[in-house]
Amino acid sequence: MATKVDQHESVAVLTLGDDENRFAPDWLDEVTARLDEIEGTSKGLVTAGIGKFYSNGLDLEWLSANAERGQWYVGAVQRLFARILTFPMPTIAAVNGHAFGAGAMLAIAHDYRVMRSDRGYFCFPEADINIPFTPGMAALIQAKLTPQTAVASMTTARRFAGSDAQAAGLVDDTASEQELVQAAVDRIRPLVGKDPGTLGAIKSTMYASVITALQ
C-alpha cells in the first residue's frame, strides 16, 4: 500500500504503508513528498505503519542489486532522518509493530515514541548482521538515548518488546493496537501551535552535531 495522510484536526497522521515499509528509493521519494505536504498544512506529525511492521529499515535487496549507488542511498536515508529530527512541529512515532535497524532510527528521530504494548520489537540489529553504524546513525541514536541504553541496544542487537522499550527509554509510552494512533495524537495535540520557524531553529541547534554527522 502506498503512504497516505489523514488529518486529526491539526495533527497529520502519515501512514508509512502496510508491508515491511522498507526504505526503497520510491518509498523515500513518496515520504518526502508527504512531509512537504504536511509541513504546509499541519501543526503536528504522527507516523505509523499498519499491522506487523512499523518499518524494517533499509531495503537490503535493492542495495545489494545497486551496490554502485550505495553512497547515494545512505545519504538519502540520512537526509530523511535529519528532516524528521528537525521537523518544525511536534512529532511522534506510533510504533505499531517491528521497528528494526533504520526503521528504529526513523522512530528515534521523532520527538516522542509510543509503541504497541502487546506485539513487536524495537531493535538495532547491526551487531548481528555485520553492518556497522555510520557516524551519522550512531550520533542520531546516542543523541536520544542514555549512554547505558545506547550500549544495551547498539552493541547487543537486543530485541525490546514494548514494556522493555519503555523501561529502557527507547519509547515514551505504550498502548494497545486499537488505541495506539489516538494515544500518539493525544500526546502531541497539547504541543501544537508553536511557531514553526522557532521550533525548527531550536531543533536544529539542539541537534547541530547530529545533523553535521548525518550530512
Side-chain angles (χ1 to χ4, degrees):
M1 188 192 80
T3 64
K4 67 172 184 174
V5 176
D6 297 305
Q7 286 295 142
H8 292 237
E9 297 179 358
S10 61
V11 177
V13 176
L14 169 57
T15 302
L16 302 173
D18 62 359
D19 54 14
E20 292 189 17
N21 302 328
R22 289 187 179 269
F23 294 8
D26 288 348
W27 183 92
L28 290 169
D29 288 344
E30 191 170 338
V31 169
T32 296
R34 293 295 194 184
L35 293 175
D36 290 342
E37 171 190 338
I38 291 165
E39 192 168 344
T41 60
S42 304
K43 296 181 178 179
L45 169 66
V46 174
T47 65
I50 294 176
K52 187 176 179 180
F53 299 96
Y54 175 78
S55 172
N56 255 351
L58 299 182
D59 189 338
L60 298 178
E61 183 176 339
W62 183 92
L63 189 56
S64 177
N66 297 272
E68 75 283 356
R69 299 186 67 193
Q71 186 173 356
W72 168 86
Y73 177 70
V74 172
V77 169
Q78 296 194 157
R79 283 191 293 275
L80 175 61
F81 295 159
R83 182 161 190 194
I84 294 295
L85 189 65
T86 59
F87 208 59
M89 63 185 68
T91 63
I92 185 166
V95 184
N96 58 286
H98 298 317
F100 272 68
M105 295 175 209
L106 178 64
I108 282 286
H110 292 67
D111 298 331
Y112 308 98
R113 286 152 296 285
V114 177
M115 187 172 176
R116 181 172 167 179
S117 55
D118 64 331
R119 186 178 182 182
Y121 293 112
F122 200 105
C123 177
F124 301 115
E126 282 74 8
D128 279 350
I129 61 176
N130 302 323
I131 300 179
F133 296 96
T134 68
M137 292 173 179
L140 169 63
I141 298 167
Q142 289 175 278
K144 292 301 189 79
L145 303 179
T146 66
Q148 293 90 340
T149 299
V151 171
S153 59
M154 294 175 71
T155 68
T156 68
R158 176 181 169 184
R159 299 182 177 195
F160 291 81
S163 59
D164 292 334
Q166 184 180 4
L170 289 162
V171 303
D172 301 280
D173 203 354
T174 60
S176 68
E177 180 184 16
Q178 294 77 15
E179 297 174 343
L180 183 69
V181 170
Q182 190 60 52
V185 171
D186 290 344
R187 189 177 185 95
I188 65 167
R189 184 175 281 134
L191 307 177
V192 303
K194 304 291 190 294
D195 176 70
T198 301
L199 189 57
I202 288 172
K203 292 182 182 183
S204 295
T205 300
M206 287 176 66
Y207 302 117
S209 62
V210 180
I211 301 303
T212 298
L214 287 169
Q215 291 174 341

